[in-house]
Amino acid sequence: MTEPPAVPVMQARGLVKRYGHVTALDGADFDLMPGEVLAVIGDNGAGKTSLIKALTGAVQPDEGEILLGGEPIRFRDPLDARRRGIETVYQDLAVAASLDIASNMFLGREIRRPGPLGTIFRMLDHKRMREESARHMAELKIGLRSLTQPVESLSGGQRQGVAVARAVAWAQHVVVMDEPTAALGVKESGQVLDMIRRVRDRGLPVILISHNMPHVFEIADRIHVQRLGRRVAQLKPGDHEMAEVVAIMTGALRVDASDETVVADQGAARAIGLS
Amino acid sequence: MVALLVACVFFSLNNEQFLSGGNFSLIIQQVMVVGTLAIGQTLIILTAGIDLSNGAIMAFGGIVMAKLAADGVVPPLVAIALGLLVCAGFGAVNGLLVTAIPLPPFIVTLGMLNVVFALTHIFSGDQTVVNLPAPLTALGGTFAIGDTMVTYGSLLTILLFLIFAYLLSQTAWGRHVYALGNSPEVARLTGIRTGRLTVGVYTVAGLVYGIAALLLVSRTGVGDPQAGQTDNLDSITAVVLGGTSLFGGRGLVVGTLLGALIVGVFRNGLQLMGVPSIYQTLITGVLVILAVTVDQLSRRRIS
């Protein structure tokens, strides 16, 4: 496979974020190419979460810059990032449980009725919101019997489907998914992975944060390995064994300048079955 | 709903007076003050809060209206407006303490209950205010539907229920109140300004308590510093009987109206049967526990 000569959708250069004595990000770089699913993996404390928070406006980096479509950009808060077309799906099924699907899809961005009913009486256009929700859900092939049932009556996978559909509906540039399958069973995880594929097929790049290596290998086009606050490798799943990637993540293997893996810690490498 | 119908059938079998239009009009008059307080309480409970200070705020608002108008400090209509404003102001202070510090609503409103109760007695000098000018008692006036006399106050209460049912179900503001009660974090992440929304809800609730104050003054014809001392708990009773979850995010203002009516029907029916009032209180207590039990059990079966 040859790299497409495209401008990265999103980049970060030399991000630093310190919390007191702790350096969460220590000069981290990041590149997201158009139309790809990029998995971000790393051990606990590797700075995965801080990196994603910086990219989605939840924290402001102390140093370094973020570029969106080649242009430097600073997000004041998550809302700011959302306005710029970066939508995030959070791991703990971030939907309002007692509201119906359409209300959740349009939460914070409701459509009002045209005319005085909307402008004076602030009446919502339930019908239009339902129709548009139905369209978005259908595009992601999320089968639901009714859009008027509260989301708490849905299965975990369907609920995550609502969250994904909402993100896709509003994202112009990037969809970020933070452990979207962590709370789900095997079958439901499969449904969410299918959804991620459909999002990519629509041309929207996806950043997937996951601990689940089989999922990462199943769906990612590229893998960003985060370790000790920086990016230590960018890999293609096809070029490497799962154990190798885990070894890089834990520091048993190192990737040198020519993209060859080098054993950094003999004992650790042997322990996970690499010779 | 079923409980209400069963109770009505039971009481009407016991006493032919119960079913008369006049008696129903009386029930509505008896529940309209607590019912109106319970509208504000519903809003706050929907955000997963609670308001223990609403009865006290209403009593203070009533005294402000009555005293300013009776003493002729300001014209009666201005006195009413000031009373409403004071109530909304106390609501806003509750909301600000809940969001800005932040403190648990239970603690904030418990403190406010004592503060406002004391202020009421200081401001009134422990005196009941009498000889109120006409505008303050206008809502106590009646008109006839058939041969049943209905007060304007009852009408206003029903209207308020309709307005808030509309706001909660048909506007973005209403959707956001539910979302906030479901999870403040989810609401914040979807771009809802949760702080502003919470202060808004408490302020609107305060304004509704002000209207309850006016209803109270017009019904009793006096400004009474002792008024409304158990109304905070009665309003919570109405909300809970109406099926609204104390954990927030679930419930309907129409349910609260039914809840208030259930309490009213029971008290009235038992009164007509000649049951002493202390037993009425006992039965109301059992009713609340029963209603919430049924609600919990039916919910468990669904999930």
Side-chain angles (χ1 to χ4, degrees):
Chain A
M1 256 219 274
T2 50
E3 283 291 318
V7 183
V9 179
M10 204 173 189
Q11 286 171 287
R13 290 289 166 260
L15 291 185
V16 175
K17 181 69 191 174
R18 296 186 199 89
Y19 298 96
H21 301 298
V22 182
T23 305
L25 290 177
D26 188 12
D29 295 336
F30 177 84
D31 291 273
L32 176 69
M33 304 308 289
E36 71 173 353
V37 174
L38 175 70
V40 175
I41 63 169
D43 218 346
N44 290 335
K48 248 180 343 197
T49 309
S50 299
L51 175 67
I52 295 309
K53 281 187 171 167
L55 295 175
T56 57
V59 302
Q60 277 66 48
D62 301 323
E63 288 168 35
E65 64 171 356
I66 296 170
L67 299 104
L68 186 63
E71 300 286 317
I73 197 165
R74 283 197 97 80
F75 301 125
R76 274 178 288 117
D77 51 48
L79 201 59
D80 198 19
R82 285 166 50 121
R83 282 199 205 98
R84 312 269 185 167
I86 299 163
E87 286 283 329
T88 310
V89 178
Y90 298 93
Q91 66 180 80
D92 40 5
L93 312 169
V95 286
S98 76
L99 296 181
D100 63 25
I101 293 161
S103 295
N104 265 291
M105 288 280 293
F106 284 88
L107 197 58
R109 291 154 162 158
E110 288 82 357
I111 301 174
R112 290 207 295 260
R113 290 270 281 261
L117 274 179
T119 51
I120 299 169
F121 294 101
R122 312 245 136 200
M123 191 187 252
L124 293 176
D125 198 338
H126 288 295
K127 187 161 162 276
R128 200 174 135 205
M129 290 195 284
R130 248 173 243 145
E131 284 166 1
E132 292 201 11
S133 301
R135 192 165 54 75
H136 288 302
M137 301 295 277
E139 274 176 24
L140 290 174
K141 297 202 168 52
I142 303 166
L144 288 169
R145 258 170 288 133
S146 144
L147 289 169
T148 52
Q149 57 190 341
V151 294
E152 64 195 342
S153 69
L154 304 178
S155 71
Q158 289 173 322
R159 252 190 256 190
Q160 195 62 290
V162 174
V164 172
R166 178 174 64 196
V168 172
W170 298 104
Q172 288 143 33
H173 300 302
V174 183
V175 177
V176 181
M177 303 205 194
D178 187 1
E179 300 276 1
T181 56
L184 303 179
V186 174
K187 184 165 165 260
E188 299 188 321
S189 294
Q191 292 169 350
V192 170
L193 293 183
D194 285 343
M195 263 182 253
I196 295 174
R197 269 189 213 104
R198 286 190 206 105
V199 174
R200 177 188 51 196
D201 295 346
R202 291 183 50 182
L204 211 52
V206 177
I207 303 172
L208 171 73
I209 301 103
S210 184
H211 270 104
N212 189 315
M213 283 300 151
H215 288 173
V216 167
F217 269 74
E218 192 185 329
I219 193 137
D221 298 310
R222 286 193 314 130
I223 302 174
H224 164 130
V225 185
Q226 184 82 9
R227 179 170 158 71
L228 302 176
R230 39 174 82 201
R231 178 174 68 191
V232 293
Q234 294 187 84
L235 312 164
K236 288 213 164 64
D239 301 349
H240 296 270
E241 295 290 317
M242 212 179 284
E244 252 184 299
V245 175
V246 173
I248 295 167
M249 196 175 99
T250 54
L253 285 181
R254 209 158 36 78
V255 179
D256 66 12
S258 59
D259 262 1
E260 291 295 313
T261 52
V262 177
V263 174
D265 181 338
Q266 291 284 354
R270 232 182 338 260
I272 57 169
L274 288 173
S275 50
Chain B
M1 194 73 208
V2 177
L4 188 61
L5 286 176
V6 171
C8 286
V9 170
F10 175 78
F11 288 126
S12 53
L13 289 178
N14 264 286
N15 194 313
E16 66 274 16
Q17 240 189 69
F18 179 81
L19 265 186
S20 70
N23 191 45
F24 272 110
S25 174
L26 181 69
I27 291 174
I28 291 179
Q29 281 178 55
Q30 282 167 341
V31 301
M32 75 182 177
V33 171
V34 168
T36 304
L37 282 177
I39 294 175
Q41 188 72 263
T42 308
L43 293 177
I44 288 172
I45 289 180
L46 279 177
T47 69
I50 191 113
D51 192 348
L52 299 175
S53 64
N54 60 0
I57 291 176
M58 173 187 70
F60 188 69
I63 284 291
V64 167
M65 291 177 193
K67 200 164 163 61
L68 293 181
D71 294 356
V73 184
V74 291
L77 286 177
V78 177
I80 292 174
L82 284 174
L84 293 175
L85 215 62
V86 165
C87 290
F90 279 119
V93 172
N94 277 340
L96 282 171
L97 290 170
V98 167
T99 46
I101 302 208
L103 293 170
F106 187 94
I107 302 299
V108 169
T109 58
L110 181 65
M112 191 60 79
L113 163 68
N114 289 303
V115 170
V116 179
F117 179 78
L119 286 178
T120 305
H121 285 259
I122 294 165
F123 184 71
S124 67
D126 265 341
Q127 299 293 310
T128 301
V129 185
V130 291
N131 295 327
L132 302 181
L136 268 76
T137 52
L139 288 174
T142 55
F143 63 98
I145 298 177
D147 48 2
T148 303
M149 302 308 282
V150 180
T151 66
Y152 294 110
S154 309
L155 213 62
L156 178 62
T157 304
I158 304 285
L159 188 68
L160 279 175
F161 271 103
L162 291 177
I163 288 172
F164 280 95
Y166 174 86
L167 287 175
L168 283 174
S169 67
Q170 298 299 324
T171 71
W173 181 80
R175 303 283 87 187
H176 295 175
V177 168
Y178 283 97
L180 178 64
N182 275 310
S183 159
E185 191 60 15
V186 168
R188 197 180 60 77
L189 289 172
T190 49
I192 296 168
R193 292 189 209 165
T194 49
R196 223 171 68 168
L197 180 63
T198 309
V199 175
V201 164
Y202 278 83
T203 310
V204 169
L207 184 65
V208 173
Y209 303 154
I211 298 172
L214 184 60
L215 289 168
L216 177 74
V217 168
S218 70
R219 182 166 141 73
T220 56
V222 296
D224 177 9
Q226 303 291 344
Q229 287 186 25
T230 62
D231 285 2
N232 53 357
L233 300 182
D234 290 346
S235 69
I236 295 170
T237 304
V239 174
V240 169
L241 279 177
T244 294
S245 164
L246 283 175
F247 300 108
R250 289 171 188 81
L252 296 169
V253 81
V254 178
T256 300
L257 176 60
L258 289 178
L261 285 174
I262 290 172
V263 174
V265 162
F266 264 84
R267 283 195 179 263
N268 175 276
L270 293 169
Q271 227 154 25
L272 288 178
M273 284 169 70
V275 176
S277 80
I278 195 68
Y279 286 96
Q280 298 171 22
T281 307
L282 187 98
I283 289 169
T284 311
V286 173
L287 203 64
V288 170
I289 295 171
L290 213 66
V292 178
T293 307
V294 169
D295 183 51
Q296 282 292 327
L297 291 180
S298 67
R299 198 158 295 170
R300 204 173 304 159
R301 208 161 304 143
I302 291 168
S303 63

